[in-house]
Amino acid sequence: QVQLVESGGGLVQPGGSLRLSCAASGNILSINLMGWYRQAPWKGRELVAHMTSDGITNYVDSVKGRFTISRDNAQNIVYLQMNSLKPEDTATYYCNYRRGPIDVWGQGTQVTVYS
């Protein structure tokens, strides 16, 4: 089965940048949907961005123009470049893999935006 490992989270000041990475391994099929979700304390999980295997993207309105999702299909890595970070971006960020009935989540990486 597919396994996901996120990295790149940390503490950053408002206006700063972080780049999250998600490395996928296991029984990965080439056609899939991968995305990033986030969850802040006492809030529900929110879709941040997702990207199809052929490059179609979707973003939540609050991150448009600041975040960019990309993927390296050859290496099975998905990235989330986060610029102009705001305190409200603080959350645990989770990588997600979906294909048909398969739905896999990573362990999450913490992003804290604070000055």
Side-chain angles (χ1 to χ4, degrees):
Q1 293 292 334
V2 174
Q3 295 178 326
L4 305 175
V5 179
E6 303 100 330
S7 62
L11 175 65
V12 64
Q13 294 185 345
S17 298
L18 286 173
R19 189 193 193 198
L20 307 183
S21 299
C22 172
S25 62
N27 188 24
I28 301 168
L29 298 178
S30 60
I31 301 175
N32 56 59
L33 177 69
M34 296 197 71
W36 290 94
Y37 291 72
R38 65 187 181 187
Q39 186 166 11
W42 304 105
K43 293 186 177 182
R45 185 183 299 168
E46 175 187 40
L47 172 66
V48 178
H50 64 225
M51 190 174 190
T52 66
S53 301
D54 58 355
I56 305 301
T57 61
N58 188 59
Y59 298 88
V60 66
D61 286 344
S62 61
V63 308
K64 289 181 178 177
R66 300 188 298 120
F67 292 10
T68 302
I69 188 171
S70 62
R71 55 191 292 174
D72 183 337
N73 291 333
Q75 298 187 37
N76 294 315
I77 301 175
V78 179
Y79 302 97
L80 185 67
Q81 178 66 47
M82 304 185 294
N83 299 325
S84 301
L85 283 162
K86 304 174 181 180
E88 50 263 44
D89 295 318
T90 296
T92 301
Y93 284 70
Y94 298 91
C95 184
N96 175 250
Y97 167 99
R98 293 181 181 180
R99 191 184 194 278
I102 305 300
D103 189 0
V104 181
W105 297 89
Q107 295 297 312
T109 184
Q110 179 66 38
V111 172
T112 302
V113 185
Y114 179 78
S115 62

